[in-house]
Amino acid sequence: QVQLVESGGGLVQAGDSLRLSCAASGRTISTITMGWFRQAPGKVREFVAAISRIGGSTSYADSVKGRFTISRDNAANTLKLQMNSLRLEDTAVYYCAASRNLAGVSPKRELYDYWGQGTQVTVSS
């Protein structure tokens, strides 16, 4: 069993930066594929970024590529998401997720088994 707790969300202005954290317990995060997803009001939960357990490969949604960076702090057993140049359309609840079986990265939310409670990110103009 893996427990995930997100933090770092908040209200920022367009163009600002924010860093999300996801503290994991129950497993060492370097041994599992993990990802970030987000869900805006009235929309389905969508893939943002993932990092694989093998090799640390990363993958990003086209909408965040070049602006967001996913990383692991193995010493703290924490997943990070650095978000730069935030846009109004980045407003959403951001969720951390972990997969029991994935070796590589995947944008498919059904392949992730464990989810955090989410943290709200609001970008204003």
Side-chain angles (χ1 to χ4, degrees), residues 29-41:
I29 63 169
S30 60
T31 66
I32 50 176
T33 288
M34 298 190 72
W36 287 98
F37 290 75
R38 66 187 182 186
Q39 187 167 15

Side-chain angles (χ1 to χ4, degrees), residues 1 18 22 24 27 29 50 56 76-77 85-86 88-89 95 97-98 102 104 109 117:
Q1 193 75 8
L18 205 59
C22 173
R27 284 283 295 272
I29 63 169
N77 213 40
S85 302
L86 283 162
L88 297 180
E89 54 265 35
Y95 296 90
L102 275 174
R109 62 182 185 273
Q117 82 289 349

Side-chain angles (χ1 to χ4, degrees), residues 37-84:
F37 290 75
R38 66 187 182 186
Q39 187 167 15
K43 295 190 176 181
V44 298
R45 192 170 299 188
E46 64 175 7
F47 171 75
V48 175
I51 184 165
S52 70
R53 66 177 176 89
I54 295 180
S57 299
T58 58
S59 178
Y60 297 92
D62 288 343
S63 59
V64 306
K65 205 170 291 183
R67 299 187 299 122
F68 290 12
T69 302
I70 188 172
S71 63
R72 288 189 296 236
D73 181 344
N74 291 335
N77 213 40
T78 299
L79 183 72
K80 307 280 189 182
L81 184 68
Q82 178 67 41
M83 305 186 294
N84 298 329

